[in-house]
C-alpha cells in the first residue's frame, strides 16, 4: 500500500460523517472559477500489471493530458467496502467530481451505494450493466466489444495451431468472460472446424499460482496456443513461452514479455471511452449512462502480429477485421449450439453487438471443453 493510500484511508476514519453533509463543487462551478477538474481512477490491482489495470492506467494518462484536468489514482483496492471508502475519499479529500471505479465487482453494491449518497458526483463503471429503472442517474457503465478482437485472436490461433487444441485461462464465468471464450473459439473454428478450446477457470481475477498451474496443465495436454481473460496475463504469457507454446494476449500488449511466442492480442483503448465521458461532464451534457464501442469506434484493437504469424493468418484476420469495422460481420448468429448440444441461437437469428442479450451470456459454445 502506498503512503497516499494509507493517508486517505486513515483520514477517512474521521471524515465519513463530514462527507455526508458536505456539498461538493460541481463541474460547472469549478470551470467557472478556472480550477482544474479532478477525475478519480480506482484499480483493483497494480497499474503496471501488463493487463487490465495497466490498460486503464494508460487511459487515465490520456485523460490527464487534457487541459484543465487533474487526476487522482488509487491501486490495489479490493472489491469490498474498501472501494466505497476510496471513492468517498476522492470526493471529499481530493474534490473529485467524476469517478472511474474500474473493476467489475465494484459496481454492485459499492458504486451504487456511493452514487446514491453523492447525487452531484458522476460515476462511470467499467463493465457493469446500468439499469435505468433501478440505478442512480449519476451512475453509468462503459465497456467495449473486445470479443471482436478475441474473435480475431481465434482466427490467428486457428491458423497457427498444429495440435488443433487451444487453451483459455479465465477468472470467472461471468457474461463478459464467456463472450470472449466463445468469440475466440468461433474465430478459430472458422479456420478449422475441428479445433477445440479447453477452458480453466481460476476463480479470481489475479491468482498467479493458479494461472501458472493452469498454463502448465494445458501444455501437458497437448495444447499449443493459449489465451486468457485474467487481470494480469504476465504469468500465463511467460509460462506458455517457457513451455514452447504460442500465445494471444489480452487487455494490453504483452509482446515484449515473450517476443518469440506472442502471436497478437486483444487490447483495450480506454482513452476513447474516458474522453467521451469526461467531455460530457465538462460541457454539462447529461451523464452517459451506457457507453459501448468496438473496433470501428476505437474502443478496442489488436496487437501487431508477431513475426511467426503466417501470411494466411494475417490475410484472413485482416479481412474479417475490415468487415467488422464496416459493420458487415456478426460473431453470434444462428444456428449456434452450446457445448451440450442445445441450440442457443436459432437459425436465422443474428445478435448484433448492441443486443443486450449478449451481456447476459451464460453458455459455452460448441467446441469449448469446459463447464460454466
Amino acid at each position: 500500500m502506498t503512503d497516499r493510500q494509507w493517508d486517505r484511508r486513515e483520514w477517512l476514519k474521521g471524515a465519513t460523517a463530514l462527507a455526508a453533509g458536505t456539498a461538493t463543487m460541481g463541474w460547472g462551478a469549478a470551470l467557472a472559477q478556472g480550477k482544474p477538474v479532478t477525475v478519480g481512477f480506482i484499480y483493483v490491482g497494480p497499474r503496471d500489471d501488463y493487463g487490465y489495470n495497466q490498460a486503464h492506467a494508460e487511459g487515465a494518462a490520456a485523460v490527464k493530458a487534457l487541459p484543465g484536468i487533474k487526476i487522482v489514482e488509487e491501486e490495489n483496492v479490493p472489491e469490498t467496502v474498501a472501494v466505497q471508502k476510496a471513492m468517498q475519499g476522492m470526493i471529499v479529500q481530493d474534490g473529485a467530481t467524476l469517478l472511474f471505479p474500474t473493476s467489475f465487482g465494484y459496481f454492485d453494491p459499492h458504486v451504487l451505494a456511493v452514487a446514491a449518497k453523492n447525487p452531484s458526483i458522476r460515476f462511470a463503471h467499467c463493465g457493469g450493466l446500468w439499469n435505468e429503472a433501478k440505478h442512480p442517474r449519476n451512475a453509468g457503465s462503459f465497456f467495449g466489444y473486445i470479443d471482436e478482437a478475441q474473435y480475431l485472436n481465434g482466427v490467428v490461433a486457428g491458423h497457427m495451431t498444429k495440435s488443433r487444441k487451444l487453451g483459455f485461462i479465465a477468472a470467472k464465468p461471468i457474461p463478459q468472460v464467456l463472450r470472449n471464450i466463445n468469440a475466440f473459439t468461433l474465430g478459430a473454428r472458422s479456420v478449422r472446424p475441428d479445433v477445440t478450446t479447453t477452458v480453466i477457470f481460476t476463480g479470481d481475477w489475479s491468482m498467479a499460482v493458479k494461472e501458472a498451474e493452469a498454463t502448465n496443465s494445458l501444455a501437458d495436454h497437448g495444447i499449443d496456443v493459449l489465451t486468457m481473460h485474467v487481470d494480469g496475463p504476465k504469468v500465463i504469457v511467460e509460462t506458455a513461452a517457457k513451455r514452447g507454446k504460442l500465445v494471444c494476449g489480452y487487455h494490453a500488449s504483452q509482446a515484449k514479455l515473450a517476443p518469440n511466442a506472442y502471436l497478437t492480442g486483444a487490447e483495450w483503448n480506454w482513452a476513447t471511452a474516458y474522453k467521451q465521458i469526461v467531455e460530457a461532464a465538462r460541457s454539462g451534457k447529461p451523464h452517459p449512462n451506457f457507453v459501448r464501442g468496438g473496433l470501428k469506434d476505437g474502443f478496442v484493437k489488436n496487437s501487431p502480429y508477431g513475426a511467426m504469424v503466417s501470411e494466411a493468418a494475417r490475410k484472413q484476420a485482416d479481412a474479417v477485421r475490415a468487415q467488422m469495422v464496416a459493420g458487415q460481420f456478426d460473431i453470434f448468429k444462428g444456428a449456434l449450439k452450446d457445448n451440450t448440444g442445445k441450440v442457443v441461437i436459432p437459425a436465422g437469428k443474428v445478435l448484433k453487438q448492441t443486443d443486450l442479450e449478449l451481456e447476459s451470456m451464460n453458455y459455452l459454445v460448441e467446441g469449448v471443453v469446459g463447464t460454466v
Side-chain angles (χ1 to χ4, degrees), residues 4 20 55-56 62 70 75 95 108 113-114 117 148 167 190 207 256 270 277 279 288 317 322:
R4 175 179 175 76
H56 280 292
K70 174 187 175 183
E75 58 187 344
D108 189 357
V114 179
K117 295 175 183 177
E148 294 176 350
S190 74
M207 302 190 76
K256 69 179 183 180
W270 290 123
I277 296 165
E279 290 304 327

Side-chain angles (χ1 to χ4, degrees), residues 172-349:
K172 303 177 181 182
I174 63 172
Q176 291 90 334
V177 175
L178 299 177
R179 192 166 167 177
N180 276 336
I181 296 167
N182 292 337
F184 176 76
T185 302
L186 291 171
R189 286 168 72 88
S190 74
V191 180
R192 293 176 173 167
D194 60 342
V195 163
T196 61
T197 301
T198 300
V199 175
I200 295 178
F201 292 103
T202 63
D204 213 340
W205 299 113
S206 183
M207 302 190 76
V209 173
K210 286 191 175 182
E211 289 160 11
E213 290 174 348
T215 306
N216 281 314
S217 176
L218 292 170
D220 289 343
H221 284 83
I223 283 156
D224 58 358
V225 183
L226 294 90
T227 191
M228 71 296 291
H229 188 150
V230 298
D231 270 6
K234 184 175 186 291
V235 168
I236 296 169
V237 171
E238 292 182 333
T239 305
K242 289 177 183 176
R243 294 295 305 270
K245 309 302 179 180
L246 300 173
V247 66
C248 293
Y250 189 57
H251 291 313
S253 176
Q254 296 90 40
K256 69 179 183 180
L257 296 175
N260 296 321
Y262 195 82
L263 297 173
T264 184
E267 298 186 35
W268 294 106
N269 183 24
W270 290 123
T272 302
Y274 281 170
K275 289 178 180 179
Q276 182 177 331
I277 296 165
V278 168
E279 290 304 327
R282 187 203 292 268
S283 63
K285 294 180 180 178
H287 185 44
N289 301 114
F290 194 77
V291 176
R292 298 291 190 273
L295 286 167
K296 69 178 180 180
D297 309 294
F299 279 53
V300 302
K301 59 184 178 180
N302 282 91
S303 307
Y305 299 123
M308 73 293 290
V309 176
S310 69
E311 184 60 31
R314 295 170 188 246
K315 186 175 180 180
Q316 184 171 344
D318 287 346
V320 175
R321 181 185 294 106
Q323 289 180 289
M324 288 177 171
V325 171
Q328 299 172 349
F329 189 91
D330 300 301
I331 297 173
F332 296 102
K333 54 191 175 184
L336 183 67
K337 295 180 180 180
D338 69 11
N339 64 354
T340 70
K342 177 185 175 182
V343 174
V344 288
I345 303 178
K349 182 176 181 178

Side-chain angles (χ1 to χ4, degrees), residues 85-123:
K85 295 178 180 179
M87 287 186 282
Q88 198 66 53
M90 287 182 172
I91 294 166
V92 180
Q93 186 180 8
D94 301 303
T97 49
L98 171 62
L99 294 179
F100 289 99
T102 59
S103 192
F104 181 81
Y106 289 164
F107 187 64
D108 189 357
H110 308 298
V111 169
L112 297 177
V114 179
K117 295 175 183 177
N118 297 273
S120 66
I121 308 301
R122 297 182 182 217
F123 298 78

